[in-house]
Amino acid sequence: MASSFDPNNVDLSTADPAQVVCYLSASGNNYNGHLGARISSIFVILAVSTAATFFPVVARRIPSLKIPLYVYLFARYFGTGVIVATAFVHLLDPAYAEIGPNTCVGMTGNWASYSWPPAIALTSTIVVFLMDFGAELYVESKYGVTKVDAGATIVQGGHASAEEAQTTSNREISSGKVAAWDVEKLDSAEAERSFRQQIAALLILEFGVIFHSVIIGLNLGVVGDEFATLYPVLVFHQSFEGLGIGARMSAIPFKHKSWMPWILCLAYGLTTPISIAIGLGVRTTYNPNSNTANIVSGVLNATSAGILLYTGLVELLARDFLFGPHRTKDRKQLTFMIVCTLLGTGIMALVGKWA
């Protein structure tokens, strides 16, 4: 597009705006040295972001540490706010800057026919919703329960027929008792359903965040003069996101000896350092502002934005504050949770000024 464009001889009345934009946004590899500092960022971000991710899980799973409740609540709900702000400020906005209508990509070819960032984010949001809904239907069909008028519970797929269960429940209720086998299966079914739903939501959330972490890791390895600013900002950025991942993980009732939460925490902690190392490996050849890089980054950012929008607003805010059956009635604690959420949102949105 820009190959025939002469910036020294431009007639604004006839010039193609796309050529002007593509020329102004074009740049090559901006790597400017500081290899030692870039290598140090691998280890600093690895240590700090991994520690932040592990903290809520450790606080919840190792009671002997006696970490105060309000410290844990801060980590959990500050992390919730971080996830919501990440979706809007750190993913959707960069997607517009990379493939939006006013960019070189967005003004050329089929990319110019539609505003793709919101369309991609909308698509990923709907896909995650359908996956979540499908998973819930599957779990209900396998472990679900049906309430009967008498107040007893028939476990679907059990050995007793509906009529037998109803007769049994009526007989037990009339004598002031509830059938023990009915109660046990209900508790097991509900626990299994809740666990599977939370695991699915967590994996979707981590998938979206890891996409984002790969991109910023690559960019930190090759970025030019802004490296000095980007380095410390990304330390906070990755730590806050890690806190959100760990906080959500800490709320899931894994089995006591399960290694899954530790593996998932470590997977997040390793993603950005590995990406920085890859960026350093291609530091003299990778051009983060090329059309190809912008398309890949823009699509991934928009996709991740949709995932985190659904997860942050539905799985975190709505379920914890609006529809959570076990939400605390302690107004002081509720106020603290809300303040932490707003604080996480505000600080992560502010970090977006630099990264």
Side-chain angles (χ1 to χ4, degrees), residues 135-153:
E136 182 152 342
L137 287 181
Y138 169 76
V139 172
E140 284 183 356
S141 67
K142 189 172 182 180
Y143 303 97
V145 294
T146 302
K147 303 292 183 182
V148 295
D149 294 338
T153 305

Side-chain angles (χ1 to χ4, degrees), residues 1-11 14-16 18-20 22-23:
M1 172 63 71
S3 60
S4 60
F5 180 71
D6 181 4
N8 298 312
N9 184 20
V10 180
D11 183 349
T14 59
D16 182 352
Q19 288 187 319
V20 178
C22 288
Y23 176 81

Side-chain angles (χ1 to χ4, degrees), residues 82-102:
V82 165
I83 294 300
V84 175
T86 297
F88 285 100
V89 178
H90 295 264
L91 291 172
L92 192 57
D93 183 61
Y96 271 99
E98 290 155 342
I99 60 173
N102 295 322

Side-chain angles (χ1 to χ4, degrees), residues 311-330:
T311 303
L313 299 178
V314 177
E315 299 289 348
L316 304 185
L317 290 181
R319 290 198 178 180
D320 280 359
F321 291 105
L322 300 180
F323 308 120
H326 304 297
R327 186 186 67 193
T328 179
K329 294 182 180 179
D330 184 332

Side-chain angles (χ1 to χ4, degrees), residues 76-348:
R76 176 171 175 176
Y77 291 100
F78 183 90
T80 293
V82 165
I83 294 300
V84 175
T86 297
F88 285 100
V89 178
H90 295 264
L91 291 172
L92 192 57
D93 183 61
Y96 271 99
E98 290 155 342
I99 60 173
N102 295 322
T103 65
C104 179
V105 173
M107 298 178 74
T108 56
N110 291 327
W111 292 97
S113 63
Y114 197 74
S115 181
W116 289 103
I120 294 171
L122 173 63
T123 302
S124 65
T125 299
I126 296 300
V127 168
V128 173
F129 159 70
L130 293 175
M131 290 172 61
D132 194 18
F133 182 58
E136 182 152 342
L137 287 181
Y138 169 76
V139 172
E140 284 183 356
S141 67
K142 189 172 182 180
Y143 303 97
V145 294
T146 302
K147 303 292 183 182
V148 295
D149 294 338
T153 305
I154 301 170
V155 179
Q156 296 176 353
H159 295 295
S161 67
E163 292 78 7
E164 291 171 338
Q166 179 67 69
T167 301
T168 301
S169 80
N170 288 338
R171 183 169 61 250
E172 295 294 343
I173 290 172
S174 65
S175 62
K177 299 178 181 179
V178 178
W181 66 269
D182 207 5
V183 174
E184 290 176 2
K185 287 190 176 183
L186 170 61
D187 290 343
S188 176
E190 289 186 339
E192 181 70 20
R193 176 169 60 182
S194 175
F195 176 74
R196 290 182 179 237
Q197 288 171 341
Q198 291 180 71
I199 283 292
L202 172 69
L203 293 177
I204 290 169
L205 169 64
E206 184 154 1
F207 181 72
V209 172
I210 282 178
F211 261 172
H212 179 47
S213 298
V214 169
I215 294 168
I216 63 177
L218 284 171
N219 288 341
L220 186 61
V222 301
V223 75
D225 294 336
E226 56 267 45
F227 172 77
T229 302
L230 198 59
Y231 180 0
V233 169
L234 286 186
V235 172
F236 289 101
H237 181 284
Q238 291 306 103
S239 299
F240 292 158
E241 281 191 354
L243 202 60
I245 292 286
R248 183 47 34 184
M249 208 169 310
S250 69
I252 299 177
F254 290 100
K255 293 180 180 179
H256 182 66
K257 295 184 178 181
S258 174
W259 285 93
M260 190 173 185
W262 311 111
I263 292 172
L264 291 175
C265 285
L266 187 60
Y268 170 78
L270 288 171
T271 299
T272 301
I274 290 174
S275 299
I276 296 172
I278 294 172
L280 289 177
V282 296
R283 62 187 181 277
T284 59
T285 57
Y286 176 66
N287 180 6
N289 295 314
S290 68
N291 266 23
T292 300
N294 279 328
I295 290 172
V296 172
S297 180
V299 170
L300 291 181
N301 276 333
T303 301
S304 298
I307 292 172
L308 266 65
L309 281 172
Y310 179 86
T311 303
L313 299 178
V314 177
E315 299 289 348
L316 304 185
L317 290 181
R319 290 198 178 180
D320 280 359
F321 291 105
L322 300 180
F323 308 120
H326 304 297
R327 186 186 67 193
T328 179
K329 294 182 180 179
D330 184 332
R331 293 301 177 88
K332 177 184 175 182
Q333 186 172 316
L334 273 175
T335 300
F336 181 78
M337 290 157 55
I338 289 290
V339 170
C340 290
T341 302
L342 297 178
L343 188 63
T345 305
I347 291 179
M348 196 61 173

